[in-house]
Amino acid sequence: MAQARPQQAAPPLPFFGRGGPGQLGQEKVRAKDTRGTIRRVWGYLRRQRAALILTVGLVVAATGLGLLGPFLLGRAIDRFILKGDVAGLARLLLLMLGVYAATSLLTWLQSYVMAGAAQRTVRDIRDDLFAKLQVLPLRYFDTRPHGDTMSRLTNDVENINLVLSDSVTQLVSGALSLVGVAAAMLWLNWRLALLSVLTTIALTFTFNRWVVSRTREGFRQQQAALGKLNGMIEETITGQRVVKAYHRERAAIEQFDGANAELRRAASRAQIFAGFVGPLMNCISNLSVAIVAGDGGWMAVQGMASV
């Protein structure tokens, strides 16, 4: 018999870094190295340079117009409403209408461009993942649940798509808005600016310490439980003949019920903590506004600030 030729290790892909996705089904490669993961994703995303540059430009323009709207509203109150200048107010309202319409258009355009860049990036990741699977040795597939591998190629990649489509533009827009708002506030009234910033920082720090870490851990456990459940489903379906032959139906059902219950608990925990984000952020915003309105109202009565 001819001696079997040793299989050569497949070359690593840039998305997986050193070692490639040969350890795709192992728990230890879950995104604990956040910086390394971001670098690998950026290796794909930077191929869309033109779309990214255009998106950043649209975000900057939309953020600038978004900051201009409240400024014009303040001018409308101080210069036209309090003085009863209806004609001037009408002109300013038309300008505000154009600003808000342009802001909406630019926001839609940045989402449209970024969604295309994200889809092309995810397409490249999927192509490389599938190509890598074709050159992995058989022992990889024999020692790892197929469903978990499928979950990583579908659910995990789709999560990357959601992050790139939504979170990137929101992150850039939020950072620019923060800088722009802080500068405008300090220029208009430094006392109210410091009060608002310090209040928001204190409330946000408390929020991050209590909610964010728990939410992150909850979703990490949810993804792990989902991969385990998918692996069990795939193995049970493909091995249905073995299940029937050895009368393992009841054992398979019990095993599935356990994995399903584990996913339910992990998903419930993650969604419950994630559900706190919206209400708590609204609470932080409302408390900050209430504090600023109280102090600002007192200053307006004392003649230290305009309405």
Side-chain angles (χ1 to χ4, degrees):
M1 296 178 62
Q3 185 177 3
R5 298 175 60 187
Q7 292 179 315
Q8 295 182 349
L13 294 175
F15 178 67
F16 297 95
R18 186 172 298 177
Q23 301 173 343
L24 195 62
Q26 296 183 18
E27 179 70 19
K28 65 181 181 180
V29 298
R30 295 187 185 275
K32 295 180 179 179
D33 181 10
T34 304
R35 184 176 301 177
T37 301
I38 293 175
R39 282 201 302 266
R40 291 192 292 272
V41 174
W42 173 246
Y44 283 89
L45 188 59
R46 66 184 178 185
R47 303 174 187 176
Q48 313 297 327
R49 287 189 181 90
L52 292 177
I53 293 174
L54 179 58
T55 300
V56 171
L58 292 172
V59 169
V60 171
T63 303
L65 291 177
L67 295 174
L68 182 60
F71 177 79
L72 293 177
L73 179 60
R75 287 294 179 266
I77 295 174
D78 290 339
R79 294 187 177 182
F80 302 110
I81 294 179
L82 295 180
K83 296 180 180 180
D85 187 352
V86 178
L89 178 62
R91 292 192 299 270
L92 188 60
L93 289 178
L94 288 176
L95 177 59
M96 291 178 63
L97 180 63
V99 168
Y100 285 124
T103 302
S104 300
L105 177 61
L106 292 175
T107 301
W108 175 80
L109 284 175
Q110 74 188 31
S111 299
Y112 177 83
V113 175
M114 192 61 205
Q119 287 296 332
R120 290 189 292 272
T121 299
V122 172
R123 176 202 61 194
D124 294 342
I125 292 175
R126 288 197 186 102
D127 286 342
D128 287 348
L129 278 170
F130 192 77
K132 182 65 177 182
L133 287 178
Q134 309 313 306
V135 297
L136 289 173
L138 288 177
R139 65 177 178 273
Y140 170 83
F141 300 98
D142 291 338
T143 57
R144 292 168 176 82
H146 297 171
D148 186 66
T149 302
M150 293 175 61
S151 179
R152 293 174 183 270
L153 267 68
T154 54
N155 295 321
D156 292 0
V157 174
E158 181 60 25
N159 286 336
I160 294 176
N161 175 43
L162 294 176
V163 170
L164 296 181
S165 298
D166 300 328
S167 300
V168 172
T169 55
Q170 292 178 4
L171 180 63
V172 176
S173 177
L176 292 176
S177 296
L178 179 63
V179 174
V181 167
M185 289 167 62
L186 289 171
W187 175 62
L188 291 171
N189 191 306
W190 67 268
R191 175 177 172 174
L192 285 177
L194 291 179
L195 177 64
S196 178
V197 169
L198 292 177
T199 303
T200 303
I201 289 176
L203 294 173
T204 303
F205 176 77
T206 303
F207 162 76
N208 287 336
R209 289 290 298 272
W210 186 66
V211 175
V212 172
S213 60
R214 291 173 173 82
T215 303
R216 183 185 300 112
E217 181 60 26
F219 278 106
R220 183 179 292 120
Q221 294 176 1
Q222 175 183 322
Q223 288 302 107
L226 179 61
K228 180 179 178 181
L229 183 67
N230 286 337
M232 187 177 303
I233 293 173
E234 193 275 337
E235 289 177 347
T236 302
I237 292 176
T238 57
Q240 193 58 229
R241 291 183 178 180
V242 177
V243 173
K244 292 290 185 181
Y246 289 92
H247 303 288
R248 297 285 297 173
E249 295 91 341
R250 182 176 297 276
I253 293 174
E254 292 176 354
Q255 190 179 13
F256 177 83
D257 288 342
N260 196 22
E262 181 182 352
L263 175 59
R264 179 192 62 80
R265 288 191 295 268
S268 297
R269 178 182 175 85
Q271 296 300 330
I272 287 172
F273 280 109
F276 283 123
V277 174
L280 284 177
M281 290 303 294
N282 289 334
C283 180
I284 291 174
S285 177
N286 292 335
L287 283 176
S288 179
V289 170
I291 293 172
V292 172
D295 190 49
W298 178 83
M299 293 178 64
V301 171
Q302 299 297 322
M304 300 170 60
S306 67
V307 174

